[in-house]
Amino acid sequence: MFYLETPRLVLRLFQESNAADLFRIEGNPDVMRYIRPPAVDASQSLARIQQEIIYNEAYPGLGLYACFEKETNTYVGLAKIKHIDPTDDIEVGYAFVPEAWGKGYATELTKAAIEYIQTHFAGRRIIAFIQAQNANSRKVLEKSGMKKIASVYPGREEAVVFEYF
């Protein structure tokens, strides 16, 4: 199984057995506040994982990753490393369960994702999207070396766009 590591996290592509874990993110209104409306039940998370498995087969090395603490093997969140249709750009994203907030995981993960993309997908633009009011994610992206760009991204007109230079 394909995976990535950071100093404190292990990232593995989501499997159907992780549906309850993903629902801990997607079903939590606090976590989803700046992403989209929360899922109403775990079947929606299972369906998403099934779509992501198909995506990963089409785009090896890219996908939606479940994040676990190395020391405890506790599920703490997700990482998104996916191309953005119809471009060649790659989006980096993350979400963590509330008990993992404030531990620096998002910055650690984003830096590792950027390094991974630079190594395995050299030359492709690295993009992240946030909502304007999401100050915490803005700080994470800036600490990770990403910069806000002035342009509007097609299909994401409401988002603030960051790019790694």
Side-chain angles (χ1 to χ4, degrees):
M1 182 189 317
F2 188 80
Y3 71 98
L4 297 170
E5 287 188 41
T6 74
R8 299 179 295 158
L9 301 172
V10 173
L11 290 71
R12 298 187 299 263
L13 289 166
F14 272 97
Q15 300 298 306
E16 290 182 1
S17 60
N18 299 119
D21 292 329
L22 182 57
F23 184 66
R24 289 183 58 207
I25 298 286
E26 293 186 329
N28 186 316
D30 292 331
V31 176
M32 299 303 290
R33 178 180 321 134
Y34 299 117
I35 302 171
R36 67 178 173 277
V40 294
D41 62 54
S43 68
Q44 291 176 294
S45 296
L46 175 60
R48 179 161 184 216
I49 289 171
Q50 291 167 337
Q51 291 174 339
E52 293 295 337
I53 290 169
I54 294 167
Y55 173 90
N56 183 253
E57 290 172 2
Y59 301 97
L62 299 175
L64 192 67
Y65 295 85
C67 302
F68 299 87
E69 290 178 331
K70 271 186 185 178
E71 283 188 21
T72 64
N73 199 37
T74 300
Y75 175 79
V76 293
L78 66 82
K80 178 181 186 179
I81 304 173
K82 295 179 69 173
H83 85 282
I84 307 167
D85 270 338
T87 73
D88 206 30
D89 300 345
I90 297 179
E91 178 183 2
V92 174
Y94 53 82
F96 289 91
V97 296
E99 52 270 27
W101 292 355
K103 295 183 177 184
Y105 289 150
T107 302
E108 181 176 321
L109 173 88
T110 302
K111 287 179 178 180
I114 289 168
E115 183 178 321
Y116 169 77
I117 294 165
Q118 289 177 316
T119 301
H120 298 281
F121 300 93
R124 293 175 70 173
R125 285 177 62 195
I126 302 170
I127 302 291
F129 303 104
I130 64 168
Q131 296 302 311
Q133 59 273 42
N134 191 343
N136 290 333
S137 281
R138 177 183 297 269
K139 290 176 192 172
V140 165
L141 297 176
E142 289 170 347
K143 284 194 273 187
S144 299
M146 298 188 84
K147 305 230 183 305
K148 180 180 178 256
I149 59 175
S151 61
V152 173
Y153 205 91
R156 303 285 183 101
E157 289 79 8
E158 299 299 317
V160 177
V161 184
F162 280 75
E163 183 176 351
Y164 185 81
F165 292 95

